[in-house]
Amino acid sequence: MLSFKKKLNFFSSKEQFINWFFTHPDHRWILSDRYIQANILDFFDTFPLKKINKIYETQEVTLHPSSGMFACSVQNSSKSVIIVFPELKKFLGAPFPGWAHAVLAHEFGHLYHEHGKKWIDPLEAQVEADSFAIELGHMEQLANFLEERPESIEKRTRLSYLTSKYFQNHYQSFLFYVP
């Protein structure tokens, strides 16, 4: 097993990372369901190797099933865990795992930005993690997921951010349109 004690950009290919991920003993639960396995594999297809290496360069990140609602990430200096709650596990086993991919991308965003290692306003951390999910191409799924959540200031703030990013990304195409 690879060591995570020092800074390493050690995954030379996506295939090497995928092999490490799926052979990790903590991920046996993923292998027990072919749909979850296929959907996790699809999720990592959208994940650039450079971002994988930034997350994994100093820490081991594993996914663990547990009870609760959707997911959360817990981070310390050498190991991080994304806790997969029953709702997310159910979405991961679904034929259309868009919400699951958006939630996983969001949780990896917390790890990418090292929110567990620094003080950051919780809402700012949520928006920053959403931004990471958007970078991985999960904007629409994340917006749809948030729309289904109960009303709150956090939900509205995050959806406002997603809307502004949407128009920012699509405004460029309108600038060059000449009727």
Side-chain angles (χ1 to χ4, degrees):
M1 175 139 326
L2 297 171
S3 170
F4 289 86
K5 300 273 189 224
K6 58 184 180 175
K7 185 173 181 162
L8 302 167
N9 274 333
F10 61 91
F11 295 119
S12 58
S13 69
K14 186 84 72 87
E15 292 76 24
Q16 182 188 20
F17 168 73
I18 294 296
N19 183 54
W20 174 85
F21 185 87
F22 282 111
T23 57
H24 194 286
D26 289 351
H27 295 149
R28 286 188 188 117
W29 70 273
I30 295 170
L31 300 176
S32 68
D33 184 312
R34 65 185 169 130
Y35 299 108
I36 292 175
Q37 183 178 355
N39 288 331
I40 295 270
L41 190 58
D42 285 347
F43 170 72
F44 282 122
D45 279 346
T46 67
F47 220 120
L49 183 61
K50 186 176 181 178
K51 290 188 184 294
I52 289 170
N53 279 329
K54 183 183 182 303
I55 291 170
Y56 281 84
E57 69 186 355
T58 59
Q59 63 189 340
E60 179 182 23
V61 179
T62 55
L63 279 62
H64 295 269
S66 185
S67 60
M69 226 171 144
F70 300 108
C72 74
S73 55
V74 181
Q75 187 173 30
N76 70 25
S77 61
S78 64
K79 181 164 174 100
S80 296
V81 174
I82 294 177
I83 302 171
V84 177
F85 297 130
E87 292 88 353
L88 180 58
K89 189 174 178 184
K90 179 179 155 192
F91 291 152
L92 281 169
F96 305 104
W99 285 7
H101 289 176
V103 170
L104 276 179
H106 173 90
E107 294 306 326
F108 272 101
H110 285 300
L111 302 178
Y112 183 83
H113 292 291
E114 300 183 327
H115 292 151
K117 296 180 180 178
K118 61 184 176 185
W119 166 250
I120 184 170
D121 177 77
L123 186 53
E124 186 179 337
Q126 294 301 315
V127 169
E128 202 169 58
D130 289 346
S131 179
F132 184 83
I134 290 168
E135 287 176 34
L136 295 184
H138 302 289
M139 181 186 294
E140 185 177 338
Q141 299 94 336
L142 184 59
N144 291 335
F145 174 79
L146 288 171
E147 280 291 345
E148 294 298 319
R149 306 288 55 85
E151 283 302 318
S152 69
I153 292 172
E154 178 185 318
K155 170 186 167 175
R156 286 293 147 202
T157 302
R158 291 172 66 189
L159 283 169
S160 294
Y161 173 77
L162 288 170
T163 302
S164 72
K165 289 299 277 185
Y166 175 83
F167 284 113
Q168 185 180 33
N169 291 346
H170 290 82
Y171 181 69
Q172 298 298 330
S173 62
F174 296 119
L175 288 178
F176 300 106
Y177 175 73
V178 178

